[in-house]
Amino acid sequence: MIRQYELIDKIQKYNDKANVALINRAYVFSMKAHGNQKRASGEPYLTHPLEVASIMADMKMDDASICTALLHDTVEDTLATVEEIRELFGDEVAMLVDGVTKLSRITFNDKTVEQAENFRKLFLAMSKDIRVLLVKLSDRLHNMRTIGHMKKEASKQRVARETLDIFAPLADRIGLYAVKTELEEMAFEVLYPEEHANILARLDYVRLQDDIIPRICDELREVMTEHDIPCEVNGREKTTYSIYRKMVKKNLTFDQLTDIVAYRVIVKDVPTCYEVLGHIHNIYKAIPGRFKDYISNPKPNGYQSLHTSVIGPYANRIEIQIRTNEMHEVAENGIAAHWLYKQKEGKTISPSDERHPQYAWLRQLIEALQNTDDPQEFMENTKMDLFEDNVFVFSPKGDLISLPHGSTPLDFAYSIHSAVGHSCQSAKVNGRIVPLRTKLQNGDQVEIITAKNQRPSPGWREFVVSAKAKAAINRYLRSLEREEQERLGREMLEKAARRESYSYNEKDLNKCFEQLDVRSLEDLYAGIAQGRLFPRQVFDVLYPQQQEVNRTEQELANISTIRRRVDDDTVIGIDGLIAGMALHIGRCCNPLPGEPIVGIINTGRGVTIHAKNCRNLDQYDDEPDRWIPVKWNETALDNDKANKAFQARLRVSLAHVPGSLSSFSTAIFNVDANIVDLRIDNKNTDSFDIACDVEVQNLAHFERLMSALRNLSCVSAVERVVG
Ligand code: MN
């Protein structure tokens, strides 16, 4: 086990400005906090944080990371709090320790690759500072190194599985190849002890055979020398786990594997890589389907190389990887190396933070992670914002839930199920009751408390942010509105029945459905409340013998359902306008073609056309600039009769006799005009006044309509309404 002074020595070797006092304080704090706690090995617990700090020192990490490693289990496993740590070690260390603590609370249930990808996102989101993730990986590395001491076989299996499924892929994604390989090998041995032992034994056997690795390397070197290509050639055995994975994936036996050893040819630049490939394929027979160009298509973690498999010099299948020196360093040491390499070459790089230039690679890692599609670009990006749109939280069971940024416990509840959302009464975040409008933070654990009689409130709409929650709440509130309408409609019908001395049983109403074109009682009531149906229509169906007396009213009701809207923005046929200007017909005067008109410019809303005698024009007397002279273009209008109709409003006095409304509407139909809207303004025992909007072609058409109406015996007066 490493001792405190050895750790300090190690750190000072790469960082002569290390804050030794701070690190020592963290060491003492951790020692006191862990007290008499013991590891499974029986050693004092403190050995663990010390070893984790040592791994971080191997990565040449900064003071804050080392302190975090020393303190990483204090909040989770002892009485220490993040606040205490903030007071003693400052915001940076407190933030890092808090991050590591949150990660420790995750339980890993799902073992799928997608889940690993989720966790990668989570780790990133939580560690805008990737040091959190590095401490966590170092922690896991030490726990795996000491897994032999764990007593329960089931716990061993769980930890190893988690390591293989989650932590090794994570280490891989950020280019920590040494860490990834060590984690994999240790976990593989725990999970598949027989397979592990088997592969190890076979590897030993192969190695003993005739020194085949150096002999193949020599052969390859000779080929390159013949073509005057300076290069470095080596051969390296693959790890037991990668061999095992390949055997399983490709369903091969150990002897069928071609790539137990990877031979590498390392050259100076990319064109040479392809040249080397050409020579190798010339001399040795290539195995079809095994060539992969990771130079043109790098792996997501930045790995580049050409891979090919050939029948080699001793007639066995071998895998050859061809790469540049720079690619080789990246392959061995991760993206950190990529950055260091650029620096060594004297290329300019401008890390945004100059305080710790030796840790600039951390930023590069983050950048590489967020933008791994284009390796050319990944060194140039500077911002980590890929996951800023999301917040990642946990259910009480440890399931990871991704929500839009700014989400609240209510959004969380609705993300589970709309029924959970609807009945959400209160919420606990990290064990504490909080207001429902609280904004969730990354890593929060959220628990929803529901109540049977809880209902969504309109106020909820103001603070939920997820589309799912919004939609569910709106749907619920609309259904409430609908209930309200049904209640109102029922009341209206009951009142009308009392007024007219009808009495009916609610069941009787079923008989009306077909005739009134409704599907249910609720539909019927809602229709009445919305004014689509009149109580009169219901009574007419229920009591047909009474119908004749009230016929007129029913006609009126029928006609009023043929309302339709006219789009006044499509009007053409006016001269004097500037092309592209939006055009409105003044609703005050409803001018018709044939009448003198004038245009008024509205700021930002185009031109409104008024009749020259419109009273509303008075208000523009002082603004002559807004008046524009316009004229109907009769020819254009005549050519487009089918599409062009203009509205006019009529007031008609109609006798209150059966069939009068029918005659009225027939007369309008007969002159090819169209009723757009109609309502009763005034109703007496012997007559009623109707306001009616009609669509006509022009003034002459309208005048024809007027005289047709005047000719009806049931019409006592007709006038045009303007303004
Ligand atoms: Mn730990």
Side-chain angles (χ1 to χ4, degrees):
M1 141 195 157
I2 191 169
R3 302 191 176 266
Q4 173 255 349
Y5 63 87
E6 290 167 332
L7 174 70
I8 299 292
D9 271 0
K10 195 189 243 189
I11 294 164
Q12 281 178 323
K13 274 197 186 115
Y14 66 87
N15 183 7
D16 50 15
K17 293 193 186 75
N19 187 341
V20 174
L22 185 78
I23 295 168
N24 281 337
R25 278 212 325 271
Y27 169 79
V28 171
F29 184 91
S30 184
M31 181 169 61
K32 283 188 183 155
H34 288 293
N36 290 329
Q37 288 175 352
K38 293 267 191 295
R39 294 278 287 172
S41 60
E43 285 179 302
Y45 195 90
L46 189 64
T47 57
H48 169 64
L50 258 179
E51 289 292 346
V52 175
S54 169
I55 294 169
M56 294 300 281
D58 290 336
M59 295 185 199
K60 302 189 169 47
M61 294 302 300
D62 61 347
D63 296 340
S65 306
I66 302 285
C67 288
T68 304
L70 288 168
L71 300 168
H72 80 270
D73 276 332
T74 56
V75 172
E76 190 65 6
D77 295 346
T78 79
L79 295 173
T81 65
V82 173
E83 286 324 306
E84 256 177 278
I85 288 171
R86 192 185 312 282
E87 260 169 49
L88 290 166
F89 303 99
D91 286 341
E92 192 181 9
V93 174
M95 178 269 293
L96 293 172
V97 172
D98 189 40
V100 179
T101 305
K102 278 176 175 166
L103 292 198
S104 306
R105 291 191 180 136
I106 303 171
T107 49
F108 301 85
N109 294 326
D110 198 340
K111 299 173 180 70
T112 61
V113 178
E114 296 89 280
Q115 192 72 347
E117 181 59 19
N118 274 342
F119 281 111
R120 186 178 73 89
K121 287 183 189 169
L122 168 75
F123 278 113
L124 279 170
M126 294 176 72
S127 45
K128 287 215 161 152
D129 204 312
I130 206 163
R131 289 175 294 183
V132 169
L133 176 52
L134 294 179
V135 173
K136 191 66 208 165
L137 286 170
S138 304
D139 174 45
R140 178 51 55 115
L141 189 59
H142 184 245
N143 285 336
M144 283 305 293
R145 283 175 183 170
T146 54
I147 197 167
H149 295 292
M150 277 183 95
K151 302 214 166 53
K152 279 193 204 144
E153 187 53 33
S155 319
K156 260 192 209 176
Q157 295 273 329
R158 184 182 55 78
V159 171
R161 175 49 68 190
E162 212 175 82
T163 301
L164 202 56
D165 291 340
I166 310 286
F167 289 97
L170 269 170
D172 186 42
R173 287 305 289 264
I174 62 171
L176 295 173
Y177 297 99
V179 174
K180 171 222 169 193
T181 306
E182 194 181 345
L183 287 175
E184 268 180 2
E185 292 296 286
M186 293 186 298
F188 177 52
E189 193 178 347
V190 172
L191 293 170
Y192 305 95
E194 271 176 43
E195 290 86 341
H196 178 256
N198 229 321
I199 292 171
L200 265 190
R202 301 296 294 265
L203 279 174
D204 282 344
Y205 176 76
V206 170
R207 213 175 291 127
L208 288 171
Q209 267 188 336
D210 321 318
D211 280 336
I212 194 141
I213 298 176
R215 281 165 57 200
I216 291 178
C217 285
D218 283 347
E219 274 273 344
L220 288 172
R221 248 176 239 123
E222 250 172 62
V223 174
M224 295 306 127
T225 316
E226 271 170 40
H227 292 94
D228 271 338
I229 298 172
C231 68
E232 203 181 297
V233 178
N234 63 48
R236 189 182 289 180
E237 269 172 26
K238 297 222 167 154
T239 63
T240 59
Y241 180 62
S242 68
I243 290 172
Y244 169 76
R245 209 165 40 181
K246 195 147 268 179
M247 286 166 67
V248 171
K249 201 168 132 197
K250 306 223 160 129
N251 198 19
L252 298 171
T253 66
F254 186 90
D255 294 319
Q256 288 172 304
L257 290 176
T258 57
D259 41 11
I260 291 154
V261 181
Y263 294 90
R264 280 159 195 162
V265 181
I266 300 159
V267 296
K268 66 175 195 310
D269 56 21
V270 171
T272 315
C273 290
Y274 290 96
E275 198 190 333
V276 167
L277 180 78
H279 294 314
I280 287 173
H281 280 181
N282 251 338
I283 295 164
Y284 307 113
K285 192 170 179 291
I287 297 165
R290 299 298 306 272
F291 171 65
K292 290 207 182 69
D293 183 352
Y294 292 119
I295 291 181
S296 307
N297 292 300
K299 289 189 183 179
N301 59 19
Y303 176 89
Q304 287 183 294
S305 277
L306 299 176
H307 287 192
T308 187
S309 292
V310 297
I311 308 294
Y314 298 94
N316 54 356
R317 296 150 69 109
I318 58 170
E319 182 184 294
I320 300 173
Q321 302 169 351
I322 307 158
R323 50 175 76 146
T324 65
N325 290 303
E326 182 180 350
M327 291 171 193
H328 184 61
E329 281 208 41
V330 173
E332 295 291 293
N333 302 314
I335 287 170
H338 189 69
W339 182 79
L340 291 169
Y341 194 88
K342 287 258 186 264
Q343 198 178 41
K344 240 187 336 200
E345 280 186 330
K347 292 193 179 150
T348 43
I349 36 156
S350 54
S352 51
D353 184 356
E354 297 297 339
R355 278 183 312 146
H356 299 296
Q358 69 267 46
Y359 306 114
W361 68 273
L362 280 178
R363 281 189 298 281
Q364 304 299 340
L365 277 188
I366 293 173
E367 286 156 22
L369 276 164
Q370 63 165 309
N371 189 8
T372 48
D373 294 339
D374 185 352
Q376 306 304 320
E377 238 174 50
F378 78 51
M379 299 303 285
E380 290 157 26
N381 288 331
T382 49
K383 268 195 175 164
M384 158 101 187
D385 54 9
L386 190 56
F387 303 110
E388 274 179 7
D389 294 343
N390 287 322
V391 58
F392 296 90
V393 299
F394 295 100
S395 74
K397 282 188 202 149
D399 293 330
L400 178 67
I401 312 240
S402 161
L403 295 168
H405 189 78
S407 283
T408 64
L410 258 185
D411 291 288
F412 175 89
Y414 276 103
S415 80
I416 298 168
H417 195 276
S418 56
V420 177
H422 286 344
S423 57
C424 174
Q425 189 192 46
S426 55
K428 282 184 183 173
V429 170
N430 303 327
R432 291 229 308 266
I433 296 263
V434 299
L436 287 179
R437 57 171 67 239
T438 307
K439 292 206 185 313
L440 297 174
Q441 306 294 322
N442 273 320
D444 279 347
Q445 189 176 61
V446 188
E447 188 183 338
I448 297 300
I449 298 148
T450 58
K452 258 195 192 142
N453 51 5
Q454 178 67 40
R455 296 287 175 269
S457 112
W460 286 4
R461 283 188 291 203
E462 284 155 34
F463 59 83
V464 297
V465 301
S466 60
K468 195 173 175 187
K470 275 187 189 158
I473 294 168
N474 280 333
R475 215 179 305 124
Y476 180 84
L477 293 174
R478 268 203 308 275
S479 77
L480 272 195
E481 263 167 42
R482 166 90 184 183
E483 272 172 39
E484 178 60 20
Q485 283 181 350
E486 286 164 19
R487 197 186 55 72
L488 190 70
R490 170 186 280 125
E491 262 179 37
M492 285 167 72
L493 188 64
E494 282 167 3
K495 256 189 208 158
R498 274 199 300 277
R499 201 171 51 229
E500 308 207 13
S501 317
Y502 288 123
S503 70
Y504 63 91
N505 191 318
E506 209 170 46
K507 270 187 222 148
D508 300 338
L509 295 174
N510 294 339
K511 293 182 227 159
C512 315
F513 291 176
E514 205 185 338
Q515 258 182 282
L516 299 178
D517 195 26
V518 297
R519 274 164 305 173
S520 63
L521 195 58
E522 291 73 26
D523 246 17
L524 177 74
Y525 287 143
I528 291 171
Q530 290 160 5
R532 280 185 291 113
L533 289 173
F534 289 77
R536 177 79 259 146
Q537 291 170 277
V538 178
F539 302 142
D540 281 350
V541 178
L542 287 180
Y543 311 101
Q545 66 282 10
Q546 310 246 10
Q547 196 174 343
E548 201 48 42
V549 182
N550 298 301
R551 186 84 191 280
T552 336
E553 228 174 308
Q554 195 206 337
E555 280 169 341
L556 182 66
N558 287 341
I559 289 169
S560 74
T561 61
I562 55 170
R563 287 159 185 251
R564 76 185 176 84
R565 197 178 277 277
V566 180
D567 183 2
D568 60 1
D569 286 335
T570 60
V571 177
I572 58 146
I574 292 176
D575 287 338
L577 291 169
I578 300 149
M581 240 177 180
L583 181 66
H584 309 277
I585 297 292
R587 280 285 161 261
C588 41
C589 49
N590 285 315
L592 296 173
E595 290 184 292
I597 48 170
V598 68
I600 296 291
I601 297 171
N602 310 305
T603 34
R605 292 198 297 116
V607 174
T608 304
I609 305 298
H610 292 269
K612 270 197 174 154
N613 59 4
C614 178
R615 269 172 287 159
N616 280 357
L617 287 174
D618 296 353
Q619 59 183 299
Y620 303 113
D621 277 346
D622 298 331
E623 299 167 273
D625 288 348
R626 293 179 63 182
W627 295 62
I628 51 170
V630 290
K631 246 179 31 200
W632 296 107
N633 181 332
E634 306 279 355
T635 330
L637 289 166
D638 278 343
N639 291 340
D640 197 20
K641 262 185 190 146
N643 295 319
K644 287 304 141 227
F646 296 85
Q647 275 195 34
R649 177 163 295 174
L650 291 166
R651 180 164 295 124
V652 181
S653 289
L654 214 57
H656 197 298
V657 293
S660 63
L661 258 166
S662 167
S663 327
F664 171 75
S665 57
T666 308
I668 293 175
F669 177 74
N670 283 342
V671 295
D672 266 332
N674 188 23
I675 298 176
V676 178
D677 199 354
L678 184 146
R679 70 179 179 348
I680 302 173
D681 277 339
N682 226 328
K683 195 168 136 191
N684 309 312
T685 41
D686 53 353
S687 75
F688 47 88
D689 292 338
I690 298 170
C692 179
D693 288 346
V694 291
E695 272 182 342
V696 292
Q697 302 291 331
N698 49 39
L699 187 62
H701 189 197
F702 182 69
E703 279 165 355
R704 277 207 310 285
L705 168 65
M706 299 274 275
S707 54
L709 292 177
R710 282 191 195 104
N711 281 339
L712 293 175
S713 60
C714 60
V715 170
S716 52
V718 186
E719 59 169 330
R720 180 173 178 197
V721 185
V722 177

